Amino acid sequence: MYSIHATKKLLDRMQELTVYSVPEATTRLGNWYAKPLFWRPQYALFINETTFLPVFARLAPASSLANRFPDDLATTLRTHGVPESFIEDELLEMDDVVVSKTNNRRVVGILNELATMATRVREYHPDLTPLDLAMELAQVPLGLSGGDYRVPEDALRTLVSAT
């Protein structure tokens, strides 16, 4: 079980039942934050609450986004070279999903920062696929000034090797 903390715009599009009391995630990666990107075609940008790892998923149809996200995550994890056993375990735990509104300003700030970066990079490199873009963004140091900075790709490697 895991949760998707979505922005209001994404919640409106997904039309999912939102839960206000989110149970603790049983996945190793934990929970995800997401927002829509109104590109053509439209995507949702997900970032992991623990590692800030970015993952892009096609937004349409938004009603099935929560169910399709694990497949996009698996593709991204494989591209990062994560062992298949870790991916399989994660997908098994992702059978149940809870959708909620965002509740962590820090993570939302990083989500917005990554969305802005993704849009700018896409303007200069329109040939990049969303997966290529996610791989590029995973190498950017993220965090709050004077606080905890992390490079998503490095944080992912650390988390995977610890398990």
Side-chain angles (χ1 to χ4, degrees), residues 19-83:
V19 175
Y20 294 98
S21 177
V22 178
E24 190 171 328
T26 60
T27 61
R28 292 184 204 166
L29 286 169
N31 296 320
W32 293 83
Y33 280 67
K35 73 176 290 171
L37 299 173
F38 298 109
W39 301 342
R40 292 201 179 158
Q42 295 179 352
Y43 281 87
L45 170 60
F46 289 81
I47 67 165
N48 180 254
E49 185 176 37
T50 306
T51 64
F52 303 149
L53 181 74
V55 176
F56 290 94
R58 273 256 169 123
L59 185 55
S63 60
S64 65
L65 180 62
N67 294 326
R68 290 183 288 111
F69 169 67
D71 294 333
D72 295 307
L73 172 61
T75 301
T76 302
L77 291 175
R78 284 185 186 101
T79 306
H80 278 285
V82 172

Side-chain angles (χ1 to χ4, degrees), residues 77-90:
L77 291 175
R78 284 185 186 101
T79 306
H80 278 285
V82 172
E84 197 63 35
S85 59
F86 181 93
I87 296 169
E88 288 173 9
D89 290 346
E90 196 72 6

